[in-house]
Amino acid sequence: AQTIHQWPVAEIKAVGSPLSLGCTIKGKSSPNLYWYWQATGGTLQQLFYSITVGQVESVVQLNLSASRPKDDQFILSTEKLLLSHSGFYLCAWSRGLFNQDTQYFGPGTRLLVL
Amino acid sequence: GQQVQQSPASLVLQEGENAELQCNFSSTATQLQWFYQSPGGSLVSLLSNPSGTKHTGRLTSTTVTKERRSSLHISSSQTTDSGTYLCAILSSNTNKVVFGTGTRLQVLP
């Protein structure tokens, strides 16, 4: 069975500090990977997706970047956090192309920027 | 760009009642997925239904593609069904997933 793990579970960071959020999928080779963000009380927004190692496509510009250093790993980061980065970050994976297949979500990381 | 509207915004039911949730989208979608988001934030996929009718347990989804709408019917609601139900669309002309604003469901004992 496939499992998806996100770290950290929660984080409190200062404005201007760097951030790195991680996501790992086990039990599935070559998954399609996605990052989503949800402001408190807001709508989920797709941030990035990756079809293969080393290849990441940006969907929404939020002064964040993403990388896929390994087949099973997806990293979301920024060098300088903004207050507006606060919210809930979700990683997801799908077997096939996302226009044909179900997405499965991780437990999420809650971020508070002060 | 693609817009996804869900209605009602919130719904309160007594346990045992049925719920009908609606999702309307502005342009053609090749995939449509219903999710349940718990009060803690975690997302669970309920149904993938780009067209037609699908059932799973107490859930039935009907999507009419040419009318750009989908519904999710929850029969015999239970208190554990309380949470937010999200509709997500994958546009046919972009590689972008767009989520709706959600329906917050509260089922009272």
Side-chain angles (χ1 to χ4, degrees):
Chain A
Q2 299 85 11
T3 58
I4 179 169
H5 177 59
Q6 287 187 244
W7 73 92
V9 172
E11 186 103 82
I12 300 175
K13 303 278 281 186
V15 169
S17 63
L19 174 76
S20 180
L21 304 181
C23 173
T24 299
I25 290 84
K26 297 298 181 187
K28 175 72 182 82
S29 61
S30 304
N32 295 302
L33 299 175
Y34 315 87
W35 275 113
Y36 292 86
W37 169 73
Q38 185 178 36
T40 302
T43 304
L44 266 167
Q45 291 188 56
Q46 187 184 22
L47 299 177
F48 300 94
Y49 68 90
S50 171
I51 296 173
T52 190
V53 175
Q55 191 176 328
V56 177
E57 299 294 330
S58 173
V59 178
V60 173
Q61 292 294 333
L62 284 180
N63 293 306
L64 295 166
S65 61
S67 63
R68 187 169 176 178
K70 301 178 185 178
D71 184 53
D72 63 352
Q73 198 173 77
F74 208 17
I75 306 295
L76 184 69
S77 61
T78 182
E79 291 187 1
K80 282 190 176 182
L81 277 166
L82 306 173
L83 285 174
S84 57
H85 286 138
S86 292
F88 193 50
Y89 289 83
L90 284 160
C91 177
W93 71 273
S94 65
R95 291 184 181 84
L97 293 173
F98 42 54
N99 61 349
Q100 297 171 7
D101 212 341
T102 299
Q103 292 191 47
Y104 301 92
F105 284 76
T109 294
R110 203 163 293 278
L111 173 67
L112 178 60
V113 182
L114 301 173
Chain B
Q2 175 74 273
Q3 293 186 17
V4 181
Q5 297 290 335
Q6 290 187 245
S7 61
S10 63
L11 185 60
V12 180
L13 299 174
Q14 289 296 135
E15 196 167 28
E17 291 182 325
N18 299 330
E20 188 83 14
L21 283 57
Q22 302 292 335
C23 174
N24 292 277
F25 42 101
S26 59
S27 55
T28 306
T30 56
Q31 177 60 287
L32 184 146
Q33 200 166 342
W34 284 96
F35 293 91
Y36 166 77
Q37 187 169 33
S38 71
S42 61
L43 244 66
V44 174
S45 174
L46 299 174
L47 283 166
S48 290
N49 187 25
S51 64
T53 299
K54 285 194 176 180
H55 305 272
T56 181
R58 295 182 292 107
L59 304 178
T60 301
S61 173
T62 299
T63 298
V64 183
T65 309
K66 61 182 179 181
E67 295 181 12
R68 298 175 187 167
R69 60 178 175 86
S70 180
S71 65
L72 180 69
H73 180 87
I74 306 172
S75 63
S76 303
S77 63
Q78 302 172 0
T79 56
T80 51
D81 293 334
S82 296
T84 301
Y85 290 78
L86 299 171
C87 170
I89 303 298
L90 290 84
S91 295
S92 60
N93 56 350
T94 69
N95 289 331
K96 188 174 176 180
V97 177
V98 180
F99 275 84
T101 49
T103 293
R104 182 166 293 184
L105 175 65
Q106 185 180 6
V107 182
L108 304 174

